[in-house]
Each structure stands twice: as C-alpha cells, then as structure tokens.
C-alpha cells in the first residue's frame, strides 16, 4: 500500500479527494490529514507518526502557503509530493519545471490515477532540490533559470541557458547541453516545446526543438537547414519554415 497524507483546508475538497482515492486508487491508504500549516507541522514533528510515501498538498492554506510547512522540515522531505491546485498558470508551470506532480481542481479521476502511478516509495527522488526549483519558479515566474529533468537514469537539475537543443526519439527526448552531455528524458518533445517556447526555444522540425541563442547559420534552399554551435545540422521542415523565417525577422528587428 502507498501511504498518503493530505493537507487541504476545504472540508468538501478533503472529503472529495479521500473518496476519489478510495474509488480509483485502491493501493492508497490515507494515514492522516491536516487543514493548515500548523496542523501539518504538528503531525510531522511527532516522531511516533508514520511518514507517508506521498503528500497531497493544497498550496494556499488559512495560515499561509504550504511552502512554510515544507521549509520547516529543514530539507528532510522523504516523501513524494502532489500539489492539488485550482487552475493556476504559474503553479502548474512551476510543477512542470521541477518535475513535481500536480492535479487540478476539479479533480479528474484519470489525472489522479496517473499522478499516483508515478509515486515510487523508497526511491531517491531528490525531492528537496525539486522543491527548490518549484519555489523559485512559483515565486518569480518570469525568472526562467533552472529546471528539473526526470531522465531514465535519475533526476537532473540543469540551467536552461545550457540547453542547445532537444531531439525526439519516440516518446523520449534527448537533451543536448553546451558541455557536450546528453540527457535522455522520459517526456515527449511536445512537453518541452510547451515548457520552453516562451524562453527563446523554437520547434523547427517534428524531431527538433532548438535554443535560438545557439544558432550559428541558416542555409537557405529547398533543403534548408540550421547549423548549431555544437556543429549539428538540423533540418527546418517545409511546413514550419514560413513561421520560422518570421521568427528570424523578429529577432533581427529586435537587435
């Protein structure tokens, strides 16, 4: 069984999540609940209480943000986190950058099952570092500096400005860094396109998402392609070329 703890101040929201877990996630056992930062801290500061495998956390609580609770655990978070939030753009974006699970209210059963399926009890999840990345993006959503990448061999924390390009392979994405390293992430390239399009990345081909800062040359012609700073030649698809050329025009005008 997966042991779960819920922090939710709205009684109806709490009951709904408990009922949905009972109906749709039979492997989850709720071992405790809290309606405030204070109540959550009381539970976790009691050494006789069980430590959960996952905590479902509402972000806004009557006595503050849930980060006050997480911060007071002094970097000793040993459980997965799934944020339960209303549709809040920056909260969702911060979850995506930090590879932290989330479900949006009203809760969809399929989203709940998917989030629970990703819980890995006992595995080193680097949750403290992921919370740091989340907090940075949540508190300053325009400062796109760092992101977490869930890869096949672990979790990486990288500076966004160090990504040269992303390359698709089936449902995986190879992320190429300026130091020559390559990370294979367990997400589709579409996920990274959605995440990075606002920070100077552009999808030039179904298989390639590039950092525009690392373009060296664009070779025109029927077989138009880019040369990146790492020497890689990347085709610009015929379908995407007009929009890409418009993007290049805007960049030139902005210089």
């Amino acid at each position: 069984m997966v042991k779960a703890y819920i922090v939710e101040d709205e009684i109806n929201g709490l009951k709904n999540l408990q009922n949905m877990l009972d109906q749709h996630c039979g492997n989850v056992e709720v071992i405790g609940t809290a309606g405030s930062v204070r109540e959550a801290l009381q539970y976790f500061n009691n050494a006789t209480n069980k430590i959960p495998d996952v905590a479902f956390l509402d972000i806004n609580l009557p006595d503050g943000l849930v980060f006050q609770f997480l911060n007071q655990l002094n970097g000793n978070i040993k459980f997965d986190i799934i944020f339960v939030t209303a549709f809040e753009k920056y909260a969702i974006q911060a979850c995506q950058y930090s590879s932290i699970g989330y479900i949006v209210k009203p809760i969809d059963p399929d989203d709940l099952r998917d989030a629970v399926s990703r819980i890995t009890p006992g595995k080193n999840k680097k949750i403290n570092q992921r919370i740091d990345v989340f907090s940075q993006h949540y508190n300053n959503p325009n400062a796109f500096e760092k992101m977490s990448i869930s890869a096949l061999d672990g979790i990486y924390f990288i500076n966004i400005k160090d990504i040269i390009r992303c390359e698709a392979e089936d449902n995986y994405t190879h992320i190429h860094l300026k130091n020559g390293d390559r990370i294979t992430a367990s997400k589709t390239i579409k996920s990274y396109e959605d995440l990075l399009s606002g920070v100077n990345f552009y999808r030039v081909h179904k298989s390639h998402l590039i950092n525009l800062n690392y373009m060296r040359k664009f070779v025109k012609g029927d077989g138009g392609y880019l040369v990146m700073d790492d020497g890689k030649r990347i085709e610009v698809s015929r379908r995407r070329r007009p929009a890409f050329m418009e993007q290049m025009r805007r960049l030139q005008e902005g210089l």
Side-chain angles (χ1 to χ4, degrees), residues 19-49:
N19 289 336
M20 293 189 74
L21 287 170
D22 186 52
Q23 293 175 26
H24 304 287
C25 305
N27 63 322
V28 175
E29 175 194 5
V30 178
I31 60 172
T33 67
S36 65
V37 170
R38 181 183 58 81
E39 289 178 7
L41 283 172
Q42 285 178 342
Y43 180 91
F44 282 86
N45 286 334
N46 187 334
T48 63
N49 288 332

Short mmCIF file of all heavy atoms in Angstrom, two decimals, residues 19-49:
data_model
loop_
_atom_site.label_atom_id
_atom_site.label_comp_id
_atom_site.label_asym_id
_atom_site.label_seq_id
_atom_site.Cartn_x
_atom_site.Cartn_y
_atom_site.Cartn_z
N ASN A 19 -12.49 10.33 -1.07
CA ASN A 19 -13.42 9.43 -1.76
C ASN A 19 -12.86 8.98 -3.11
O ASN A 19 -12.98 7.81 -3.49
CB ASN A 19 -14.77 10.12 -1.96
CG ASN A 19 -15.54 10.29 -0.66
OD1 ASN A 19 -15.32 9.54 0.29
ND2 ASN A 19 -16.43 11.26 -0.61
N MET A 20 -12.23 9.91 -3.83
CA MET A 20 -11.69 9.56 -5.14
C MET A 20 -10.51 8.61 -5.03
O MET A 20 -10.34 7.69 -5.84
CB MET A 20 -11.30 10.83 -5.90
CG MET A 20 -12.48 11.69 -6.29
SD MET A 20 -12.05 13.05 -7.40
CE MET A 20 -11.79 12.16 -8.94
N LEU A 21 -9.70 8.80 -4.03
CA LEU A 21 -8.59 7.86 -3.79
C LEU A 21 -9.13 6.48 -3.47
O LEU A 21 -8.61 5.46 -3.94
CB LEU A 21 -7.70 8.36 -2.66
CG LEU A 21 -6.79 9.56 -2.99
CD1 LEU A 21 -6.15 10.11 -1.72
CD2 LEU A 21 -5.71 9.16 -4.00
N ASP A 22 -10.18 6.44 -2.67
CA ASP A 22 -10.80 5.17 -2.29
C ASP A 22 -11.41 4.46 -3.50
O ASP A 22 -11.28 3.24 -3.67
CB ASP A 22 -11.87 5.41 -1.23
CG ASP A 22 -12.46 4.13 -0.69
OD1 ASP A 22 -11.68 3.25 -0.27
OD2 ASP A 22 -13.69 3.98 -0.71
N GLN A 23 -12.03 5.23 -4.40
CA GLN A 23 -12.71 4.65 -5.55
C GLN A 23 -11.76 4.29 -6.69
O GLN A 23 -11.95 3.28 -7.36
CB GLN A 23 -13.76 5.64 -6.08
CG GLN A 23 -14.93 5.87 -5.14
CD GLN A 23 -15.87 6.94 -5.67
OE1 GLN A 23 -15.95 7.16 -6.87
NE2 GLN A 23 -16.58 7.61 -4.77
N HIS A 24 -10.74 5.13 -6.92
CA HIS A 24 -9.93 4.99 -8.12
C HIS A 24 -8.49 4.55 -7.87
O HIS A 24 -7.79 4.19 -8.82
CB HIS A 24 -9.92 6.31 -8.90
CG HIS A 24 -11.28 6.80 -9.26
ND1 HIS A 24 -12.06 6.22 -10.24
CD2 HIS A 24 -12.02 7.83 -8.75
CE1 HIS A 24 -13.21 6.86 -10.33
NE2 HIS A 24 -13.23 7.84 -9.43
N CYS A 25 -8.05 4.60 -6.64
CA CYS A 25 -6.66 4.25 -6.32
C CYS A 25 -6.66 3.33 -5.10
O CYS A 25 -6.33 3.76 -3.98
CB CYS A 25 -5.83 5.51 -6.05
SG CYS A 25 -5.87 6.73 -7.40
N GLY A 26 -7.04 2.09 -5.32
CA GLY A 26 -7.19 1.14 -4.22
C GLY A 26 -5.92 0.82 -3.48
O GLY A 26 -5.97 0.26 -2.38
N ASN A 27 -4.76 1.17 -4.06
CA ASN A 27 -3.48 0.87 -3.40
C ASN A 27 -3.03 2.01 -2.49
O ASN A 27 -1.92 1.96 -1.94
CB ASN A 27 -2.40 0.62 -4.45
CG ASN A 27 -2.12 1.84 -5.32
OD1 ASN A 27 -3.04 2.58 -5.67
ND2 ASN A 27 -0.86 2.05 -5.68
N VAL A 28 -3.88 3.04 -2.32
CA VAL A 28 -3.50 4.18 -1.49
C VAL A 28 -4.26 4.16 -0.17
O VAL A 28 -5.48 4.01 -0.14
CB VAL A 28 -3.80 5.51 -2.23
CG1 VAL A 28 -3.52 6.71 -1.31
CG2 VAL A 28 -2.96 5.62 -3.50
N GLU A 29 -3.52 4.31 0.92
CA GLU A 29 -4.10 4.38 2.26
C GLU A 29 -3.82 5.76 2.85
O GLU A 29 -2.64 6.15 2.98
CB GLU A 29 -3.48 3.31 3.17
CG GLU A 29 -3.94 3.39 4.62
CD GLU A 29 -3.09 2.55 5.55
OE1 GLU A 29 -2.08 1.98 5.09
OE2 GLU A 29 -3.43 2.50 6.75
N VAL A 30 -4.86 6.51 3.18
CA VAL A 30 -4.69 7.83 3.79
C VAL A 30 -4.41 7.66 5.27
O VAL A 30 -5.26 7.14 6.01
CB VAL A 30 -5.94 8.71 3.56
CG1 VAL A 30 -5.76 10.07 4.26
CG2 VAL A 30 -6.19 8.92 2.07
N ILE A 31 -3.23 8.08 5.71
CA ILE A 31 -2.83 7.87 7.11
C ILE A 31 -3.02 9.12 7.97
O ILE A 31 -2.84 9.06 9.18
CB ILE A 31 -1.37 7.40 7.21
CG1 ILE A 31 -0.42 8.45 6.61
CG2 ILE A 31 -1.20 6.04 6.53
CD1 ILE A 31 1.04 8.14 6.84
N GLY A 32 -3.38 10.25 7.33
CA GLY A 32 -3.59 11.45 8.12
C GLY A 32 -3.98 12.62 7.23
O GLY A 32 -3.76 12.61 6.03
N THR A 33 -4.57 13.64 7.86
CA THR A 33 -4.97 14.84 7.14
C THR A 33 -4.71 16.07 8.01
O THR A 33 -4.60 15.98 9.23
CB THR A 33 -6.47 14.82 6.76
OG1 THR A 33 -7.25 14.89 7.95
CG2 THR A 33 -6.82 13.57 5.97
N ALA A 34 -4.60 17.22 7.34
CA ALA A 34 -4.43 18.49 8.04
C ALA A 34 -5.13 19.57 7.23
O ALA A 34 -5.27 19.46 6.01
CB ALA A 34 -2.95 18.82 8.23
N GLY A 35 -5.55 20.64 7.94
CA GLY A 35 -6.21 21.74 7.27
C GLY A 35 -5.43 23.03 7.32
O GLY A 35 -5.93 24.08 6.91
N SER A 36 -4.19 22.96 7.84
CA SER A 36 -3.39 24.18 7.96
C SER A 36 -1.91 23.82 8.05
O SER A 36 -1.55 22.65 8.25
CB SER A 36 -3.79 24.97 9.22
OG SER A 36 -3.46 24.21 10.39
N VAL A 37 -1.06 24.83 7.91
CA VAL A 37 0.38 24.63 8.08
C VAL A 37 0.66 24.12 9.49
O VAL A 37 1.45 23.19 9.69
CB VAL A 37 1.13 25.97 7.83
CG1 VAL A 37 2.60 25.84 8.24
CG2 VAL A 37 1.03 26.38 6.36
N ARG A 38 0.02 24.72 10.49
CA ARG A 38 0.27 24.34 11.89
C ARG A 38 -0.06 22.87 12.13
O ARG A 38 0.72 22.15 12.76
CB ARG A 38 -0.57 25.23 12.81
CG ARG A 38 -0.39 24.95 14.30
CD ARG A 38 -1.30 25.84 15.14
NE ARG A 38 -2.70 25.66 14.79
CZ ARG A 38 -3.45 24.66 15.26
NH1 ARG A 38 -2.93 23.76 16.08
NH2 ARG A 38 -4.73 24.56 14.92
N GLU A 39 -1.23 22.42 11.65
CA GLU A 39 -1.62 21.03 11.87
C GLU A 39 -0.67 20.05 11.17
O GLU A 39 -0.34 19.00 11.72
CB GLU A 39 -3.05 20.81 11.36
CG GLU A 39 -4.12 21.48 12.21
CD GLU A 39 -5.51 21.26 11.63
OE1 GLU A 39 -5.65 20.49 10.66
OE2 GLU A 39 -6.47 21.88 12.14
N ALA A 40 -0.23 20.41 9.97
CA ALA A 40 0.70 19.54 9.25
C ALA A 40 2.02 19.42 9.99
O ALA A 40 2.59 18.33 10.12
CB ALA A 40 0.92 20.08 7.83
N LEU A 41 2.50 20.54 10.51
CA LEU A 41 3.76 20.51 11.26
C LEU A 41 3.63 19.68 12.53
O LEU A 41 4.56 18.95 12.92
CB LEU A 41 4.21 21.94 11.60
CG LEU A 41 4.85 22.72 10.45
CD1 LEU A 41 5.06 24.17 10.85
CD2 LEU A 41 6.18 22.08 10.06
N GLN A 42 2.50 19.79 13.21
CA GLN A 42 2.29 19.00 14.42
C GLN A 42 2.40 17.51 14.12
O GLN A 42 2.99 16.76 14.88
CB GLN A 42 0.91 19.32 15.02
CG GLN A 42 0.83 20.65 15.73
CD GLN A 42 -0.57 20.94 16.26
OE1 GLN A 42 -1.55 20.32 15.84
NE2 GLN A 42 -0.68 21.88 17.19
N TYR A 43 1.83 17.10 13.00
CA TYR A 43 1.88 15.68 12.63
C TYR A 43 3.32 15.24 12.36
O TYR A 43 3.79 14.23 12.90
CB TYR A 43 1.02 15.41 11.40
CG TYR A 43 1.03 13.95 10.97
CD1 TYR A 43 0.07 13.06 11.47
CD2 TYR A 43 1.99 13.45 10.12
CE1 TYR A 43 0.09 11.72 11.11
CE2 TYR A 43 2.03 12.11 9.75
CZ TYR A 43 1.07 11.25 10.24
OH TYR A 43 1.10 9.92 9.90
N PHE A 44 4.03 16.00 11.54
CA PHE A 44 5.36 15.57 11.12
C PHE A 44 6.42 15.77 12.20
O PHE A 44 7.48 15.16 12.14
CB PHE A 44 5.77 16.29 9.83
CG PHE A 44 5.12 15.71 8.61
CD1 PHE A 44 3.86 16.12 8.21
CD2 PHE A 44 5.75 14.71 7.87
CE1 PHE A 44 3.24 15.57 7.09
CE2 PHE A 44 5.14 14.15 6.76
CZ PHE A 44 3.88 14.58 6.37
N ASN A 45 6.14 16.61 13.17
CA ASN A 45 7.08 16.79 14.28
C ASN A 45 6.90 15.73 15.37
O ASN A 45 7.70 15.67 16.31
CB ASN A 45 6.92 18.18 14.90
CG ASN A 45 7.50 19.27 14.00
OD1 ASN A 45 8.41 19.01 13.21
ND2 ASN A 45 7.00 20.49 14.13
N ASN A 46 5.87 14.93 15.23
CA ASN A 46 5.64 13.84 16.19
C ASN A 46 6.33 12.58 15.67
O ASN A 46 5.91 11.98 14.68
CB ASN A 46 4.13 13.59 16.34
CG ASN A 46 3.82 12.60 17.44
OD1 ASN A 46 4.64 11.75 17.77
ND2 ASN A 46 2.62 12.69 18.00
N ALA A 47 7.39 12.19 16.32
CA ALA A 47 8.22 11.09 15.85
C ALA A 47 7.49 9.75 15.85
O ALA A 47 7.94 8.79 15.19
CB ALA A 47 9.49 10.97 16.71
N THR A 48 6.36 9.65 16.55
CA THR A 48 5.64 8.37 16.60
C THR A 48 4.70 8.20 15.40
O THR A 48 4.18 7.11 15.18
CB THR A 48 4.81 8.28 17.90
OG1 THR A 48 3.81 9.30 17.91
CG2 THR A 48 5.72 8.43 19.11
N ASN A 49 4.46 9.26 14.65
CA ASN A 49 3.56 9.18 13.50
C ASN A 49 4.27 8.57 12.28
O ASN A 49 5.48 8.74 12.10
CB ASN A 49 3.02 10.56 13.13
CG ASN A 49 2.00 11.06 14.13
OD1 ASN A 49 1.32 10.27 14.78
ND2 ASN A 49 1.88 12.38 14.26
#
